[in-house]
Amino acid sequence: MTEIPEDHPRYAALMVRDRLTKAMWAKIVAPEGLIAQGRGEAYDYLLGEQTTGSAARAERAAAAMLLSAEHPVISVNGNTAALCAHQLAALQEASGAAVEVNLFHRTEERMAKITALLEEHGVEVLAGTPERLIPLSHERALCLPDGIGRADLVLVPLEDGDRCEALRQMGKSVITIDLNPLSRTAQTATLAVIDEVTRAVPAVTAACRTLSQEEARALAVGVDNTVFLKEALVTMARHLEEMADALE
Ligand code: PTJ
């Protein structure tokens, strides 16, 4: 591995890439997860690599929905585990949600490794025998009957579009954290938080800690995803215009 100099202008981003690459070699992140990260980085550039005001409001709404749900479940994949394992125990504790490992590129080896990583960081991970409950072909239909199977709300960070749609078809509410407001997941979710996952998870945790049950219920009822999607696209368009103007 190349040593990354601390004075490199992209030091933080390069360290994240380094973490994900190591997690890929450790079979926690799927090789495709590195491509997903690259796509996310491109959208994050357009957001100015910071949490926008709109995303901060979406994070509060996400907390409200989690606190108002009867059986909320956080669905964790390889990228989310590699990036946020250290942040998920706090989110689990603040939101009261269960955590289930649910993978697109599912192998028993990856399931075990991701579970072990989460447990090392204090996350209580649901165990059990998965069943084909999600209306999808292949292994992606698998989930736990006592987890995603009976959840009324599923938080799916960095998700592929099919599963989000399938979960909605099952009558569940879905929150995603996705830097791409144009993705099928962001477009079909009940609520898309358009922010980088390691910024979003602690923000949702903090909001869970400050909202009362009453405030949460009132806020959760009025969530309109199209507002958040539009605000993200407008912010990105403005940034592009500003960057173009700066060239003149
Ligand atoms: O671990 P597995 O087997 O479940 O596989 C996980 C991946 C991510 C490979 C799988 O779900 C996948 O292929 O996802 P997609 O279709 O590439 O979608 C991932 C979405 O997450 C894209 O819209 C990216 O823009 C977005 N994204 C990537 N990195 C981040 C992100 N959003 C927030 N924070 C990030 N760090």
Side-chain angles (χ1 to χ4, degrees), residues 63-127:
M65 287 173 67
L66 282 164
L67 293 174
S68 308
E70 298 236 326
H71 299 294
V73 173
I74 304 165
S75 176
V76 178
N77 64 12
N79 285 49
T80 305
L83 292 170
C84 306
H86 62 295
Q87 300 172 326
L88 287 172
L91 177 61
Q92 178 172 43
E93 185 264 320
S95 66
V99 171
E100 176 172 338
V101 177
N102 201 278
L103 302 182
F104 183 66
H105 304 284
R106 186 185 179 109
T107 64
E108 288 318 307
E109 187 186 20
R110 287 189 68 221
M111 291 292 293
K113 288 189 175 208
I114 292 167
T115 301
L117 176 68
L118 293 171
E119 286 176 347
E120 260 169 47
H121 285 89
V123 179
E124 271 181 48
V125 182
L126 285 175

Side-chain angles (χ1 to χ4, degrees), residues 12 23 30 41 51 61 75 204 237 241 245:
E41 283 177 4
T51 301
S75 176
V204 176
E241 271 177 38
D245 289 347

